[in-house]
Structures are given as structure tokens and as C-alpha cells.
Amino acid sequence: MPEKADRAYSPRADLLAGRVVLVTGAGDGIGRAAALAYAEHGADVVLLGRTEHKLEAVFDLIEASTETRPVVVPADLLHASEDAATILYHAIRREYGRLDGVLHNAGLLGPRTSIAEYAVSDWLEVMHVNVNAAFIVTRAMMPLLEESDDASVVFTFSGVGRRGRAHWGAYAVSKFALEGLMEVLADETARAGRIRVNSLNPGATRTAMRAAAYPHEDPETLPPPEDHMGLYLYLMGPDSKGVTGQRFDAGFWSSPH
């Protein structure tokens, strides 16, 4: 595993110029930081998330500070369906005519409780948002991604999806499942070489989800999402071309340069 922090990577200013990137969970936390970073480096960003006013705030920041063309897509992935994803696919094709990247950042923590006490309804919700929606959206976007010369799909995983821990329930299981989805898709697309597929673990980061999972932790002791953007840019940009089927940890990564 690489040993240096991801902030050592220095992406060029026009790294993503001419590209279109879809970011789920773009209204807050890591998704917001990634959407802003992608736009600042030239990408037109499709901002998908549950809370419209948060997405509008990100949209306004991008419009005020870049020459890119963002678009807001309010959507609750708890209700993600094949039909809704197909509508999104056609909207992106109509608006931009291309798609070069997808960052699957949206996620649902769910209750921190034992399997024996885990409500079935909560389990199904977490699995749908974290796994099924990622599959549904990715599947719908594949025709656009396959038309790109250099497309990237990034799934967000977690340390509890590498080794399960008590009381992490559906969240942990969903992250194990995402790793499997990443590996299958990476293997399927490796030969053509047009789409790379990787997973990224942001680790302990100052986000609302982290605060919900660790309510007694001081958030000021954690790095903000912006500290990890070097890795997010590397994986979405051309410098990672040919890198696929890999797991990256934000706190233990360095540029290949």
C-alpha cells in the first residue's frame, strides 16, 4: 500500500477540461468537495442528491467560480429505479452528449445495532441506497461511459467493508457488496480499456455521516473532505488511465509521479 498522503498529488488546472462527471451525494460533505474540485479542474458536473437547496448552493458556487456547466438533479436514491435511471441517462445525453466519470459517493449509514435487533425495513433501505442504487445508476450510464475514450467509475467503500465489525449491520455488508461490484465491473471492462473502475476509502473525515457514527468524537481532530481531493482528482482524471480494479485509502496514497 502506498505510504504518503494523497495531498502530495498536484493535478494540473485543466485536468478534467471537456469532461462530464456525475457525482451522487453532491450536496454535502465529500460529494460537495469532490463536485467543486472536479468543476475547478474543468469538468461539467452533474450534481445528484437528495436535498435540492444544498445542490443549488453547490451549483451557485461552481457557476460563480468556474466556466463549467453544472446541472442539478434532485433524487432520493432510496427510490432509485431502472426507469428513473433511464430518464437520467437520456437527460445527460441530451444536455452534454457524453459522460466520462461517475463518483458513487451517496450512502446511508443506517442504525448501529446488532443483526439480531436490526429492523428488516432499515436493512432493505441501506442496501438499496448503498448497493442497488449504485448498480442501477452504473448500469444505466454504461452506454455513455463506453463511448468515452477515458472513463472512470469510483465506488466509495469503508474499512468496515474490508473486515466486518459488530453493530455496523447493513452498512458494513453493503460496503462488502460494493467491493464485489467494483471487482466484477473492473474485470468486465479491463480488456477494452476504455473504462477504469476503482474503489476509494476516504477514512475518518469530518462529515455528517462520521459524526452520526461516532457522536462522541471531536470532529476538529479529523481532516476535512478537501484534504482528500488529490486522490479524487487522480482517480477521475487521465493520470489514472490503466489503473483499474484497485482499492485506494485516502490516508495512505501518493501520486505515481
Side-chain angles (χ1 to χ4, degrees):
M1 179 179 292
E3 297 175 352
K4 297 181 181 178
D6 61 278
R7 71 190 71 180
Y9 176 64
S10 297
R12 63 183 186 274
D14 64 347
L15 181 77
L16 302 178
R19 299 183 183 224
V20 178
V21 178
L22 168 63
V23 178
T24 72
D28 203 1
I30 291 172
R32 176 183 181 276
L36 290 171
Y38 294 157
E40 288 165 359
H41 287 78
D44 293 328
V45 184
V46 181
L47 305 165
L48 188 151
R50 183 174 57 184
T51 309
E52 187 167 3
H53 73 86
K54 292 183 178 181
L55 297 174
E56 294 287 357
V58 179
F59 177 94
D60 290 344
L61 282 171
I62 290 174
E63 281 225 315
S65 59
T66 79
E67 300 297 321
T68 65
R69 295 189 300 125
V71 65
V72 168
V73 181
D76 187 347
L77 292 179
L78 183 59
H79 307 296
S81 67
E82 183 176 3
D83 287 345
T86 300
I87 291 171
L88 176 61
Y89 160 79
H90 287 296
I92 293 173
R93 181 173 286 282
R94 183 170 56 251
E95 179 69 21
Y96 298 111
R98 63 184 298 156
L99 183 67
D100 305 284
V102 180
L103 170 62
H104 288 289
N105 169 77
L108 190 62
L109 177 64
R112 293 285 309 279
T113 189
S114 68
I115 295 296
E117 296 176 347
Y118 213 103
V120 172
S121 59
D122 290 333
W123 183 279
L124 295 176
E125 287 185 356
V126 172
M127 294 299 288
H128 190 74
V129 171
N130 295 1
V131 182
N132 297 341
F135 157 72
I136 290 167
V137 170
T138 302
R139 178 182 179 275
M141 298 303 119
M142 286 300 290
L144 279 168
L145 294 169
E146 288 170 342
E147 291 172 13
S148 173
D149 292 329
D150 180 30
S152 175
V153 179
V154 180
F155 295 98
T156 302
F157 83 107
S158 167
V160 297
R162 178 173 293 156
R163 181 177 181 180
R165 298 211 308 265
H167 302 113
W168 279 89
Y171 182 80
V173 174
S174 73
K175 295 303 180 178
F176 275 99
L178 274 183
E179 285 293 274
L181 177 57
M182 179 275 285
E183 291 182 353
V184 170
L185 185 59
D187 200 42
E188 290 176 350
T189 56
R191 178 167 299 192
R194 302 173 72 87
I195 304 172
R196 58 190 176 281
V197 187
N198 296 285
S199 61
L200 188 166
N201 175 20
T205 306
R206 197 184 308 162
T207 64
M209 181 180 287
R210 178 74 184 191
Y214 296 93
H216 303 298
E217 185 177 60
D218 180 2
E220 295 302 315
T221 64
L222 304 176
E226 290 75 14
D227 278 12
H228 302 319
M229 288 304 108
L231 177 52
Y232 281 79
L233 286 162
Y234 169 73
L235 288 177
M236 198 55 68
D239 291 337
S240 61
K241 188 175 179 65
V243 177
T244 194
Q246 303 298 310
R247 300 171 179 83
F248 289 81
D249 288 283
F252 299 92
W253 180 83
S254 63
S255 162
H257 303 302

